Amino acid sequence: MATVSDPNYTRRMEFGIGYFPTHDAVKPGAFARLVEERGHESLFFAEHTHIPASRESAWPGGDELPRKYSHTYDLFVALTAAAAATSSLRIGSGICLVIERDPITTAKEVASVDHLSGGPLEFGVGGG
């Protein structure tokens, strides 16, 4: 067993990264590899499936809603890409907007990604 004084010892950081996977950013699989290579234990993807057509209600973070909210990849497609590109990285949703999804389809997607990734999938949920 390697110890901290061993030059071959690699310590895994026990915290994760949150990321908005979008088409104009680093692809989910490539980003997951970078996160894993740098010793992080987990990666969580955001989900934003529904963006209001009208901006009548102000966004709490400022004047304009950031572009990443309306350009986010599908959560489970991004998680699958991350799982396929890594070997030990824990992946998850941070958060899945369950009230905006069909419950049967969502359950199947969660189970599929959990199984294909070698699990466990960290399934964070919220109301949006």
Side-chain angles (χ1 to χ4, degrees):
M1 173 180 224
T3 64
V4 177
S5 60
D6 183 341
N8 295 319
Y9 176 79
T10 303
R11 183 162 190 216
R12 187 177 184 107
M13 290 183 263
E14 294 181 5
F15 59 89
I17 304 292
Y19 188 66
F20 274 78
T22 67
H23 68 87
D24 55 357
V26 178
K27 291 183 179 180
F31 190 75
R33 278 191 303 276
L34 291 171
V35 169
E36 183 176 58
E37 289 167 0
R38 281 154 181 80
H40 299 286
E41 65 139 1
S42 55
L43 174 61
F44 297 89
F45 289 130
E47 174 176 59
H48 289 279
T49 57
H50 297 67
I51 304 299
S54 168
R55 299 301 311 146
E56 291 176 18
S57 298
W59 178 61
D63 293 336
E64 294 294 320
L65 183 70
R67 180 183 161 147
K68 65 185 177 183
Y69 285 88
S70 60
H71 289 262
T72 306
Y73 283 128
D74 174 80
L75 173 63
F76 293 100
V77 171
L79 288 169
T80 300
T86 60
S87 60
S88 63
L89 189 68
R90 291 174 42 210
I91 58 169
S93 58
I95 61 172
C96 178
L97 302 173
V98 293
I99 63 169
E100 297 176 358
R101 301 178 140 273
D102 175 80
I104 295 171
T105 302
T106 302
K108 186 169 186 167
E109 290 171 331
V110 169
S112 296
V113 174
D114 181 68
H115 180 75
L116 291 171
S117 70
L121 173 68
E122 303 289 332
F123 187 52
V125 299

